[in-house]
Amino acid sequence: MQQNIKIVLVNTSHPGNIGGAARAMKNMGLSELVLVEPKLFPHDEAFSRASGASDILDNAKVVATLEEALADCQLVIGTSARERHIPVTLVDPRQAAELVYGDTLKTAFVFGREDRGLTNEELQRCHYHVHIPSVEEFSSLNLGAAVQVIAYELRMKALSLQGGPIVESKWDVPAATSEQLDYMLTHLEKVLGDIEFLDPKAPRQVMTRFRRLYQRSQLDQQEVGMLRGMLTAVEKQCTKSD
């Protein structure tokens, strides 16, 4: 479905921002870039900033009008930093991703000029406006960063639809078993008694809290072995002291 999504940049003034947008797109699996009357393109700085995403720039389509860029689109979402006099349904980037993947529609995300965004007339061509909720004191995002935010949410939604964990941890050592943890805690209790940290006649909740601490840490088998080794070393030092 990501092949149904195009990124449209309108009247971009800085070629480096075009390259930054291309890189953001490639990071998140998007490939179709349309440029509406860019001030400078093609340009060396665009390719420099693309940093490995030059294929997206090579295949970018340059058009004269927004109408031409949107001609084949069924869903158009325009970026807007503020409310307009005639409001259109406003969504955040995550809600926008839900809209895109709710149906197999040819979709355009439209980004405006660096200094003033999209005009009211351009925004009126959009079915929705997407607003990135940055802090009010410093709300202006770089164009490449704005594309990255939108592309990231689209990627996360696409991965969630594939099922399974989005990010899967692969641990290098098996998790400790309950029995191994019990042995380690018994060993710990003995050593704490030997060094008089723990009073065996009045242990209170110390070992219960240690158990909770280690269970929360989700130790692996090597880590339990390291702790047992450390406790053994403490025991040896205590024996030498005696």
Side-chain angles (χ1 to χ4, degrees):
M1 288 179 65
Q2 285 181 286
Q3 301 308 309
N4 285 331
I5 300 169
K6 68 168 70 172
I7 299 296
V8 179
L9 308 182
V10 177
N11 209 201
T12 309
S13 60
H14 196 298
N17 287 332
I18 297 174
R23 182 174 183 178
M25 290 171 62
K26 189 158 186 175
N27 284 152
M28 298 297 145
L30 300 175
S31 60
E32 188 174 356
L33 176 63
V34 180
L35 306 173
V36 180
E37 272 197 313
K39 296 290 180 64
L40 291 170
F41 187 83
H43 193 278
D44 289 344
E45 192 165 354
F47 284 87
S48 176
R49 283 281 303 277
S51 186
S54 57
D55 56 320
I56 291 181
L57 297 181
D58 288 334
N59 295 315
K61 184 178 180 181
V62 179
V63 298
T65 65
L66 181 59
E67 291 85 350
E68 187 178 350
L70 303 179
D72 63 339
C73 294
Q74 299 161 301
L75 176 63
V76 181
I77 302 175
T79 54
S80 178
R82 63 187 189 278
E83 292 281 0
R84 302 293 172 140
H85 294 302
I86 303 177
V88 176
T89 303
L90 196 65
V91 296
D92 63 33
R94 194 157 300 172
Q95 292 169 324
E98 294 286 344
L99 291 169
V100 171
Y101 287 102
D103 207 341
T104 55
L105 300 176
K106 182 66 177 180
T107 301
F109 279 89
V110 185
F111 296 81
R113 301 153 190 82
E114 292 95 331
D115 57 347
R116 62 186 187 280
L118 295 169
T119 66
N120 288 332
E121 291 76 15
E122 289 163 344
L123 279 167
Q124 287 168 13
R125 293 187 171 277
C126 303
H127 299 94
Y128 296 91
H129 295 174
V130 61
H131 174 70
I132 298 172
S134 52
V135 296
E136 293 182 6
E137 295 80 7
F138 193 60
S139 60
S140 177
L141 271 74
N142 169 268
L143 179 58
V147 172
Q148 185 74 77
V149 171
I150 299 298
Y152 167 78
E153 290 296 346
L154 291 168
R155 175 70 173 162
M156 292 295 287
K157 182 60 181 178
L159 289 173
S160 71
L161 292 173
Q162 293 175 14
I166 292 175
V167 179
E168 185 175 7
S169 296
K170 294 181 180 179
W171 210 248
D172 58 339
V173 179
T177 65
S178 180
E179 182 180 52
Q180 289 168 334
L181 184 61
D182 286 343
Y183 282 141
M184 191 273 289
L185 287 168
T186 299
H187 194 175
L188 176 63
E189 185 172 12
K190 176 183 178 301
V191 172
L192 292 179
D194 291 343
I195 64 174
E196 298 183 353
F197 176 87
L198 184 68
D199 182 357
K201 295 180 180 179
R204 291 180 289 185
Q205 300 295 319
V206 174
M207 293 313 299
T208 299
R209 290 184 179 277
F210 269 119
R211 176 179 287 277
R212 185 175 66 178
L213 168 65
Y214 288 122
Q215 286 178 331
R216 190 168 67 243
S217 300
Q218 296 183 314
L219 299 171
D220 66 32
Q221 294 181 14
Q222 185 173 348
E223 290 165 341
V224 167
M226 290 167 57
L227 289 169
R228 294 291 304 271
M230 180 185 67
L231 293 171
T232 299
V234 172
E235 287 178 310
K236 289 179 179 178
Q237 289 299 316
C238 290
T239 301
K240 287 180 182 180
S241 299
D242 293 342

